[in-house]
Amino acid sequence: MTPTEVLDEFRSAGALLEGHFVLSSGLHSPVFLQKMFVFQDPTRTERVCKALAAKIREAYGEVDYVVSPAVGGIVPGYETARHLGCKAIFVERENGEFVLRRGFVIPEGARVVMVEDIVTTGLSSRECLAALREHPGKILGAACLIDRSGGKADLGTPLVSLVQLDIPAYAPDQLPPELAALPAVKPGSRNLKT
Ligand SMILES: O=P(O)(O)OC[C@H]1O[C@H](OP(=O)(O)OP(=O)(O)O)[C@H](O)[C@@H]1O
Ligand SMILES: O=C(O)c1cc(=O)[nH]c(=O)[nH]1
Ligand SMILES: [Mg+2]
């Protein structure tokens, strides 16, 4: 799939949102990729994740485990693993920190790739990778559907993506006036209070 075809999937799913969004990192942006609008359609999800699996195989070779950060990474992690013919597990937040729960185990020597949905600053990916380093297994690298950092996010490990975009994101005290004028919404799950 070309980057244009992938973006067309997001566009036709209604996942390219404009407004005022507070991102997982705390940065603010006029654009939000609501990936769940893509993932609610299994056929669309299959198309993009099949393409991501092909890129992963080309970059990293055989993979035994895909590990994804919850919540957004779970669906693409599972579907990408289905095309790679490997296991799919996830880390989730416990007292704010990503950990492997539910008895998930990564065997010694397993070849592991981290699969994210969207990378903005790379913070969530780095947190997920840090959690994985507490376990056996060889981390080959990372992958995501859309890297909206324009390639600037540094995960400390290679990152492959289907699309690279350079979407503006601002510190809360540096908002352009037209963005500050709009009410802000925070769509993601980080710091959600139960
Ligand atoms: O590269 P970053 O700056 O970390 O931003 C990207 C992260 O933000 C979103 O997760 P979020 O924490 O909003 O929750 P979600 O997975 O439940 O959507 C997205 O799923 C990525 O994990
Ligand atoms: O940085 C984020 O939190 C983020 C950006 C985006 O476009 N989509 C998303 O789900 N999360
Ligand atoms: Mg996430």
Side-chain angles (χ1 to χ4, degrees):
M1 268 182 125
T2 65
T4 307
E5 287 169 338
V6 176
L7 274 184
D8 280 346
E9 295 285 3
F10 275 71
R11 192 172 291 110
S12 25
L16 299 186
L17 308 183
E18 291 181 21
H20 180 180
F21 304 96
V22 182
L23 306 179
S24 184
S25 53
L27 297 179
H28 292 231
S29 180
V31 176
F32 191 79
L33 302 155
Q34 183 42 280
K35 68 275 176 148
M36 292 303 176
F37 289 174
V38 173
F39 302 154
Q40 70 181 339
D41 179 340
T43 310
R44 207 186 282 290
T45 306
E46 176 177 36
R47 282 195 292 271
V48 293
C49 291
K50 185 175 180 188
L52 189 63
K55 274 210 149 178
I56 289 173
R57 203 176 280 113
E58 188 186 327
Y60 305 126
E62 281 301 306
V63 180
D64 300 313
Y65 278 75
V66 160
V67 187
S68 298
V71 175
I74 294 179
V75 172
Y78 173 87
E79 182 61 16
T80 303
R82 196 168 74 80
H83 291 281
L84 288 168
C86 73
K87 296 276 196 297
I89 61 176
F90 54 89
V91 296
E92 58 197 304
R93 294 197 190 276
E94 192 174 71
N95 302 319
E97 304 278 311
F98 277 140
V99 287
L100 269 188
R101 297 181 64 245
R102 301 169 195 268
F104 283 144
V105 171
I106 302 176
E108 196 75 50
R111 294 169 61 84
V112 177
V113 171
M114 193 214 62
V115 170
E116 253 287 25
D117 43 10
I118 313 284
V119 167
T120 301
T121 63
L123 176 64
S124 311
S125 299
R126 287 190 296 274
E127 289 172 340
C128 177
L129 288 161
L132 293 181
R133 289 193 195 98
E134 303 292 315
H135 295 267
K138 178 176 161 50
I139 300 171
L140 305 173
C144 68
L145 296 173
I146 299 191
D147 171 6
R148 50 172 286 174
S149 82
K152 292 192 285 288
D154 180 5
L155 307 193
T157 192
L159 171 67
V160 295
S161 64
L162 290 183
V163 185
Q164 258 189 26
L165 299 172
D166 199 352
I167 303 180
Y170 305 95
D173 59 353
Q174 288 171 8
L175 301 190
E178 63 279 12
L179 192 57
L182 298 173
V185 293
K186 183 176 185 301
S189 68
R190 186 195 284 263
N191 299 331
L192 265 190
K193 300 279 184 288
T194 49

Coordinates of all heavy atoms in Angstrom, one line a residue, residues 6 10 35 39 48-61 63 65-70 72-81 84 86 89 111-120 122 124-126 128-129 132-133 138-149 153-164:
V6 N -3.0 4.4 2.2 CA -3.2 4.3 3.7 C -4.0 5.5 4.2 O -5.0 5.4 5.0 CB -1.9 4.1 4.4 CG1 -2.1 4.0 5.9 CG2 -1.1 2.9 4.0
F10 N -7.8 6.1 6.2 CA -8.2 6.9 7.3 C -9.2 8.0 7.0 O -10.2 8.2 7.7 CB -6.9 7.6 7.9 CG -6.1 6.7 8.9 CD1 -5.4 5.6 8.4 CD2 -6.2 7.0 10.2 CE1 -4.7 4.8 9.3 CE2 -5.5 6.2 11.1 CZ -4.8 5.1 10.7
K35 N -7.9 6.6 15.1 CA -7.6 5.2 14.5 C -8.7 4.2 14.8 O -8.9 3.3 14.0 CB -6.3 4.7 15.0 CG -6.2 4.3 16.5 CD -5.9 5.5 17.4 CE -6.0 5.1 18.9 NZ -5.1 5.8 19.7
F39 N -10.2 1.0 12.9 CA -10.2 -0.4 13.5 C -11.6 -0.9 13.7 O -11.8 -2.1 14.0 CB -9.5 -0.4 14.8 CG -8.0 0.1 14.7 CD1 -7.4 0.7 15.8 CD2 -7.3 0.0 13.5 CE1 -6.1 1.1 15.7 CE2 -6.0 0.4 13.4 CZ -5.4 1.0 14.5
V48 N -4.7 -2.5 6.1 CA -3.6 -1.7 6.5 C -2.6 -2.5 7.3 O -1.4 -2.4 7.1 CB -4.0 -0.4 7.3 CG1 -4.7 0.6 6.4 CG2 -4.8 -0.7 8.5
C49 N -3.1 -3.5 8.1 CA -2.2 -4.3 8.9 C -1.4 -5.3 8.0 O -0.3 -5.7 8.4 CB -2.9 -5.0 10.0 SG -3.5 -3.7 11.2
K50 N -2.1 -5.8 7.0 CA -1.4 -6.7 6.1 C -0.2 -6.0 5.4 O 0.9 -6.5 5.3 CB -2.3 -7.2 5.0 CG -1.8 -8.2 4.0 CD -2.8 -8.7 3.0 CE -2.2 -9.7 2.1 NZ -3.1 -10.1 1.0
A51 N -0.4 -4.7 5.1 CA 0.7 -3.9 4.5 C 1.8 -3.7 5.6 O 3.0 -3.7 5.3 CB 0.2 -2.6 4.0
L52 N 1.4 -3.5 6.8 CA 2.4 -3.2 7.9 C 3.2 -4.5 8.1 O 4.4 -4.5 8.3 CB 1.7 -2.8 9.2 CG 2.7 -2.3 10.3 CD1 3.5 -1.1 9.8 CD2 2.0 -2.0 11.6
A53 N 2.5 -5.7 8.1 CA 3.2 -6.9 8.3 C 4.3 -7.2 7.2 O 5.4 -7.6 7.5 CB 2.2 -8.1 8.3
A54 N 3.9 -6.8 6.0 CA 4.9 -7.0 4.9 C 6.1 -6.1 5.1 O 7.3 -6.5 4.9 CB 4.3 -6.6 3.6
K55 N 5.9 -4.9 5.6 CA 7.1 -4.0 5.9 C 7.9 -4.5 7.1 O 9.1 -4.4 7.1 CB 6.5 -2.6 6.3 CG 6.3 -1.7 5.1 CD 6.5 -0.2 5.5 CE 7.0 0.5 4.3 NZ 7.2 1.9 4.5
I56 N 7.2 -5.1 8.1 CA 7.9 -5.6 9.2 C 8.8 -6.8 8.8 O 10.0 -6.9 9.2 CB 6.9 -6.0 10.3 CG1 6.3 -4.8 11.0 CG2 7.6 -6.9 11.4 CD1 5.1 -5.1 11.9
R57 N 8.2 -7.7 8.0 CA 9.0 -8.9 7.5 C 10.2 -8.4 6.7 O 11.3 -9.0 6.9 CB 8.1 -9.8 6.7 CG 8.6 -11.2 6.7 CD 7.7 -12.2 6.0 NE 6.5 -12.6 6.7 CZ 5.2 -12.4 6.4 NH1 5.0 -11.6 5.4 NH2 4.3 -12.8 7.2
E58 N 10.0 -7.4 5.9 CA 11.1 -6.9 5.1 C 12.2 -6.3 6.0 O 13.4 -6.5 5.7 CB 10.6 -5.9 4.1 CG 11.5 -5.4 3.1 CD 10.9 -4.2 2.3 OE1 9.7 -4.2 2.1 OE2 11.7 -3.3 1.9
A59 N 11.8 -5.6 7.0 CA 12.8 -4.9 7.8 C 13.4 -5.8 8.9 O 14.6 -5.7 9.2 CB 12.1 -3.7 8.6
Y60 N 12.7 -6.7 9.4 CA 13.2 -7.5 10.6 C 13.2 -9.0 10.4 O 13.7 -9.7 11.3 CB 12.3 -7.2 11.8 CG 12.1 -5.7 12.2 CD1 10.8 -5.1 12.3 CD2 13.2 -4.9 12.4 CE1 10.7 -3.8 12.6 CE2 13.0 -3.5 12.7 CZ 11.8 -3.0 12.8 OH 11.6 -1.7 13.1
G61 N 12.7 -9.5 9.3 CA 12.7 -11.0 9.1 C 11.6 -11.7 9.9 O 10.6 -11.1 10.2
V63 N 9.4 -13.0 12.9 CA 8.9 -12.5 14.2 C 8.2 -13.5 14.9 O 7.3 -14.2 14.4 CB 8.0 -11.2 13.9 CG1 7.6 -10.6 15.2 CG2 8.7 -10.2 13.1
Y65 N 6.8 -12.7 18.3 CA 5.9 -12.0 19.1 C 5.7 -10.5 18.7 O 6.7 -9.8 18.5 CB 6.3 -11.9 20.6 CG 5.9 -13.2 21.4 CD1 6.7 -14.4 21.2 CD2 4.9 -13.2 22.2 CE1 6.4 -15.5 21.9 CE2 4.5 -14.4 22.9 CZ 5.3 -15.5 22.7 OH 5.0 -16.7 23.4
V66 N 4.5 -10.1 18.5 CA 4.2 -8.7 18.4 C 3.7 -8.3 19.8 O 2.8 -8.9 20.3 CB 3.1 -8.4 17.3 CG1 2.4 -7.1 17.5 CG2 3.6 -8.5 15.9
V67 N 4.2 -7.2 20.3 CA 3.8 -6.6 21.5 C 3.3 -5.2 21.3 O 4.0 -4.4 20.7 CB 4.8 -6.7 22.6 CG1 4.2 -6.2 24.0 CG2 5.5 -8.0 22.8
S68 N 2.1 -4.8 21.8 CA 1.6 -3.5 21.6 C 1.2 -2.8 22.9 O 0.8 -3.5 23.8 CB 0.3 -3.6 20.7 OG 0.6 -4.2 19.5
P69 N 1.2 -1.5 22.9 CA 0.7 -0.8 24.0 C -0.8 -0.6 24.0 O -1.3 -0.1 23.0 CB 1.5 0.6 24.0 CG 2.0 0.7 22.6 CD 1.9 -0.6 21.9
A70 N -1.5 -0.9 25.0 CA -2.9 -0.7 25.1 C -3.2 0.8 25.3 O -2.4 1.5 25.8 CB -3.5 -1.5 26.3
G72 N -4.8 1.6 22.1 CA -4.8 1.8 20.7 C -4.0 0.7 19.9 O -4.3 0.4 18.8
G73 N -3.0 0.1 20.5 CA -2.1 -0.8 19.8 C -2.7 -2.2 19.7 O -2.2 -3.0 18.9
I74 N -3.7 -2.5 20.5 CA -4.2 -3.9 20.6 C -4.7 -4.4 19.3 O -4.3 -5.5 18.8 CB -5.2 -4.1 21.8 CG1 -4.5 -3.8 23.1 CG2 -5.7 -5.5 21.8 CD1 -5.5 -3.9 24.3
V75 N -5.6 -3.7 18.7 CA -6.2 -4.2 17.5 C -5.2 -4.3 16.3 O -5.1 -5.4 15.7 CB -7.5 -3.4 17.0 CG1 -8.0 -3.8 15.7 CG2 -8.6 -3.5 18.1
P76 N -4.4 -3.3 16.0 CA -3.5 -3.4 15.0 C -2.4 -4.4 15.3 O -1.8 -5.1 14.4 CB -2.9 -2.0 14.8 CG -3.2 -1.3 16.1 CD -4.5 -1.9 16.6
G77 N -2.0 -4.5 16.6 CA -1.0 -5.6 16.9 C -1.5 -7.0 16.6 O -0.8 -7.8 16.0
Y78 N -2.8 -7.2 17.0 CA -3.3 -8.6 16.7 C -3.4 -8.8 15.2 O -3.0 -9.9 14.8 CB -4.7 -8.6 17.4 CG -5.5 -9.9 17.0 CD1 -5.4 -11.0 17.8 CD2 -6.3 -9.9 15.9 CE1 -6.1 -12.2 17.5 CE2 -7.0 -11.1 15.6 CZ -6.9 -12.2 16.4 OH -7.5 -13.3 16.0
E79 N -4.0 -7.9 14.5 CA -4.2 -8.1 13.1 C -2.8 -8.2 12.3 O -2.7 -9.0 11.4 CB -5.1 -7.0 12.5 CG -5.4 -7.1 11.0 CD -6.2 -8.4 10.7 OE1 -6.7 -9.0 11.6 OE2 -6.2 -8.7 9.5
T80 N -1.9 -7.4 12.7 CA -0.5 -7.5 12.1 C 0.1 -8.9 12.4 O 0.7 -9.5 11.5 CB 0.4 -6.3 12.6 OG1 -0.3 -5.1 12.3 CG2 1.7 -6.4 11.9
A81 N -0.1 -9.3 13.6 CA 0.5 -10.6 14.0 C -0.2 -11.7 13.2 O 0.5 -12.7 12.8 CB 0.3 -10.8 15.5
L84 N 1.6 -11.9 10.1 CA 3.0 -12.4 10.3 C 3.0 -13.9 10.7 O 4.1 -14.5 10.7 CB 3.7 -11.6 11.4 CG 4.1 -10.1 11.0 CD1 4.5 -9.3 12.2 CD2 5.2 -10.1 10.0
C86 N 2.4 -14.9 13.9 CA 3.0 -15.0 15.2 C 2.0 -14.6 16.3 O 0.9 -14.4 16.0 CB 4.2 -14.1 15.2 SG 3.8 -12.3 15.3
I89 N 0.5 -10.0 21.9 CA 0.3 -9.7 23.3 C 0.4 -8.2 23.5 O 0.7 -7.5 22.5 CB 1.2 -10.5 24.2 CG1 2.6 -10.1 24.0 CG2 1.0 -12.0 24.1 CD1 3.6 -10.8 25.1
R111 N 11.8 -13.6 19.1 CA 12.0 -12.4 18.3 C 10.8 -11.5 18.3 O 9.7 -11.9 17.9 CB 12.4 -12.8 16.8 CG 13.7 -13.6 16.7 CD 13.9 -14.2 15.4 NE 13.9 -13.2 14.3 CZ 15.0 -12.5 13.9 NH1 16.1 -12.7 14.5 NH2 14.9 -11.7 12.9
V112 N 11.0 -10.3 18.9 CA 9.9 -9.4 19.3 C 9.9 -8.1 18.5 O 10.9 -7.5 18.3 CB 10.0 -9.0 20.8 CG1 8.9 -8.1 21.2 CG2 10.0 -10.3 21.7
V113 N 8.7 -7.7 18.0 CA 8.5 -6.4 17.4 C 7.4 -5.7 18.1 O 6.4 -6.3 18.4 CB 8.2 -6.5 15.9 CG1 7.8 -5.2 15.3 CG2 9.4 -7.1 15.1
M114 N 7.6 -4.4 18.5 CA 6.6 -3.6 19.1 C 5.8 -2.9 18.0 O 6.3 -2.3 17.1 CB 7.2 -2.5 20.0 CG 6.2 -1.9 20.8 SD 6.5 -0.1 21.1 CE 6.4 0.5 19.5
V115 N 4.4 -3.1 18.0 CA 3.6 -2.5 17.0 C 2.6 -1.5 17.7 O 1.9 -1.8 18.6 CB 2.7 -3.6 16.3 CG1 1.6 -2.9 15.4 CG2 3.6 -4.4 15.4
E116 N 2.8 -0.2 17.2 CA 1.9 0.9 17.7 C 0.9 1.3 16.6 O 1.1 0.9 15.4 CB 2.8 2.1 18.0 CG 3.1 2.5 19.4 CD 1.8 3.1 20.1 OE1 0.7 2.9 19.7 OE2 2.1 3.8 21.1
D117 N -0.1 2.0 17.0 CA -1.0 2.5 16.0 C -0.4 3.8 15.4 O -0.1 3.9 14.2 CB -2.4 2.8 16.6 CG -2.3 3.4 18.0 OD1 -1.3 3.8 18.4 OD2 -3.4 3.4 18.6
I118 N -0.2 4.8 16.3 CA 0.2 6.1 15.9 C 1.4 6.5 16.7 O 1.4 6.3 17.9 CB -0.8 7.2 16.1 CG1 -2.2 6.8 15.6 CG2 -0.4 8.6 15.6 CD1 -2.5 6.9 14.2
V119 N 2.5 7.1 16.1 CA 3.6 7.6 16.9 C 3.6 9.1 16.7 O 3.5 9.7 15.6 CB 4.9 7.1 16.4 CG1 6.1 7.9 17.0 CG2 5.1 5.6 16.8
T120 N 3.5 9.8 17.8 CA 3.6 11.3 17.8 C 4.9 11.8 18.3 O 5.8 12.2 17.6 CB 2.4 11.9 18.6 OG1 1.2 11.5 18.1 CG2 2.5 13.5 18.5
G122 N 6.7 9.6 20.4 CA 7.4 8.3 20.6 C 7.4 8.0 22.1 O 7.9 6.9 22.5
S124 N 4.9 6.9 24.2 CA 4.3 5.6 24.6 C 5.1 4.5 24.1 O 5.2 3.4 24.7 CB 2.9 5.6 23.9 OG 2.2 6.8 24.2
S125 N 5.7 4.6 22.9 CA 6.5 3.5 22.3 C 7.7 3.3 23.2 O 8.1 2.1 23.5 CB 7.0 3.9 20.9 OG 5.9 4.1 20.1
R126 N 8.3 4.4 23.6 CA 9.5 4.2 24.5 C 9.1 3.5 25.8 O 9.9 2.7 26.3 CB 10.2 5.5 24.8 CG 11.0 6.1 23.5 CD 11.8 7.3 23.9 NE 11.1 8.4 24.3 CZ 10.5 9.3 23.5 NH1 10.7 9.3 22.2 NH2 9.8 10.3 24.0
C128 N 6.6 1.5 26.3 CA 6.4 0.1 26.0 C 7.7 -0.7 25.8 O 7.8 -1.8 26.4 CB 5.5 0.0 24.7 SG 5.2 -1.7 24.2
L129 N 8.6 -0.1 25.1 CA 9.9 -0.8 24.9 C 10.6 -1.0 26.2 O 11.3 -2.1 26.5 CB 10.8 0.0 23.9 CG 10.3 -0.1 22.4 CD1 10.9 1.1 21.6 CD2 10.6 -1.4 21.8
L132 N 9.3 -3.9 28.0 CA 9.7 -5.2 27.3 C 11.1 -5.6 27.7 O 11.4 -6.8 27.7 CB 9.6 -5.1 25.8 CG 8.2 -4.9 25.3 CD1 8.2 -4.8 23.7 CD2 7.3 -6.1 25.7
R133 N 11.9 -4.6 28.0 CA 13.3 -4.9 28.3 C 13.4 -5.6 29.7 O 14.5 -6.1 30.0 CB 14.2 -3.6 28.3 CG 14.4 -3.1 26.9 CD 15.5 -2.0 26.7 NE 15.3 -1.4 25.4 CZ 14.7 -0.3 25.1 NH1 14.2 0.4 26.1 NH2 14.6 0.1 23.9
K138 N 14.3 -10.9 22.2 CA 15.2 -10.0 21.5 C 14.3 -9.0 20.8 O 13.5 -9.4 19.9 CB 16.0 -10.9 20.5 CG 16.9 -10.1 19.6 CD 17.7 -11.1 18.7 CE 18.4 -10.5 17.5 NZ 19.1 -9.3 17.7
I139 N 14.4 -7.7 21.2 CA 13.6 -6.7 20.5 C 14.3 -6.3 19.2 O 15.4 -5.8 19.1 CB 13.5 -5.5 21.4 CG1 12.8 -5.9 22.8 CG2 12.7 -4.4 20.7 CD1 12.8 -4.8 23.8
L140 N 13.6 -6.6 18.1 CA 14.1 -6.4 16.8 C 13.9 -4.9 16.4 O 14.8 -4.3 15.7 CB 13.4 -7.3 15.7 CG 13.4 -8.8 16.0 CD1 12.6 -9.5 15.0 CD2 14.9 -9.3 16.0
G141 N 12.8 -4.3 16.8 CA 12.5 -2.9 16.4 C 11.0 -2.7 16.6 O 10.3 -3.5 17.2
A142 N 10.6 -1.5 16.1 CA 9.2 -1.1 16.3 C 8.6 -0.8 14.9 O 9.3 -0.7 13.9 CB 9.2 0.2 17.1
A143 N 7.2 -0.7 14.9 CA 6.5 -0.5 13.7 C 5.2 0.3 14.1 O 4.7 0.1 15.2 CB 6.2 -1.7 13.0
C144 N 4.7 1.1 13.2 CA 3.4 1.8 13.4 C 2.8 2.0 12.1 O 3.4 2.0 11.0 CB 3.7 3.1 14.2 SG 4.5 4.4 13.3
L145 N 1.5 2.3 12.2 CA 0.7 2.6 11.0 C 1.1 4.0 10.5 O 1.5 4.2 9.3 CB -0.8 2.5 11.2 CG -1.3 1.1 11.5 CD1 -2.8 1.2 11.9 CD2 -1.1 0.2 10.4
I146 N 1.0 5.0 11.4 CA 1.3 6.4 11.0 C 2.3 7.0 12.0 O 2.1 7.0 13.2 CB 0.0 7.2 10.9 CG1 -0.9 6.6 9.9 CG2 0.3 8.7 10.7 CD1 -2.1 7.4 9.5
D147 N 3.4 7.5 11.5 CA 4.4 8.3 12.3 C 4.1 9.7 12.0 O 4.5 10.3 10.9 CB 5.8 7.9 11.8 CG 6.8 8.8 12.5 OD1 6.5 9.6 13.3 OD2 8.0 8.6 12.1
R148 N 3.4 10.4 12.9 CA 3.1 11.8 12.7 C 4.1 12.8 13.2 O 3.9 14.0 13.2 CB 1.7 12.1 13.2 CG 1.4 11.8 14.6 CD 0.0 12.3 15.1 NE 0.1 13.8 15.3 CZ -0.9 14.5 15.6 NH1 -2.1 14.0 15.7 NH2 -0.8 15.8 15.8
S149 N 5.3 12.2 13.5 CA 6.4 13.1 14.0 C 7.3 13.5 12.8 O 8.3 14.2 13.0 CB 7.3 12.3 15.0 OG 8.2 11.4 14.3
A153 N 10.6 11.3 15.8 CA 10.5 10.6 17.1 C 11.7 9.6 17.2 O 11.9 8.8 16.2 CB 9.2 9.8 17.2
D154 N 12.4 9.6 18.3 CA 13.5 8.7 18.5 C 13.1 7.6 19.5 O 12.9 7.9 20.7 CB 14.7 9.5 19.0 CG 15.9 8.6 19.2 OD1 15.9 7.4 18.9 OD2 16.9 9.1 19.7
L155 N 12.9 6.4 19.1 CA 12.5 5.3 20.0 C 13.7 4.6 20.6 O 13.6 3.7 21.4 CB 11.6 4.3 19.2 CG 10.4 4.8 18.5 CD1 9.5 3.7 18.1 CD2 9.7 5.8 19.3
G156 N 14.9 4.9 20.1 CA 16.1 4.1 20.5 C 16.2 2.8 19.9 O 17.0 2.0 20.2
T157 N 15.3 2.5 18.9 CA 15.3 1.3 18.2 C 14.7 1.6 16.8 O 14.1 2.6 16.7 CB 14.5 0.2 18.9 OG1 14.8 -1.1 18.3 CG2 13.0 0.5 18.9
P158 N 15.0 0.8 15.7 CA 14.4 1.2 14.4 C 12.9 1.3 14.4 O 12.3 0.5 15.2 CB 14.9 0.1 13.5 CG 16.1 -0.5 14.2 CD 15.9 -0.4 15.7
L159 N 12.4 2.1 13.6 CA 10.9 2.3 13.5 C 10.5 2.2 12.0 O 11.1 3.0 11.2 CB 10.4 3.6 14.1 CG 9.0 4.0 13.9 CD1 8.0 3.0 14.6 CD2 8.7 5.4 14.3
V160 N 9.6 1.3 11.7 CA 9.1 1.3 10.3 C 7.6 1.8 10.4 O 6.9 1.5 11.4 CB 9.2 0.0 9.6 CG1 10.6 -0.4 9.3 CG2 8.5 -1.1 10.3
S161 N 7.2 2.5 9.4 CA 5.8 3.0 9.4 C 5.2 2.9 8.0 O 6.0 2.9 7.0 CB 5.7 4.5 9.9 OG 6.4 5.3 9.0
L162 N 3.9 2.9 7.9 CA 3.3 3.0 6.5 C 3.2 4.4 6.0 O 3.3 4.6 4.8 CB 1.9 2.4 6.6 CG 1.7 0.9 6.8 CD1 0.2 0.5 6.8 CD2 2.5 0.1 5.8
V163 N 3.1 5.4 6.9 CA 3.0 6.8 6.5 C 3.8 7.6 7.4 O 3.7 7.4 8.6 CB 1.6 7.3 6.5 CG1 1.5 8.7 5.9 CG2 0.6 6.4 5.7
Q164 N 4.6 8.6 6.9 CA 5.2 9.6 7.8 C 4.5 10.9 7.5 O 4.4 11.3 6.3 CB 6.7 9.7 7.4 CG 7.6 9.1 8.4 CD 9.0 9.4 8.1 OE1 9.4 10.4 7.6 NE2 9.9 8.5 8.5

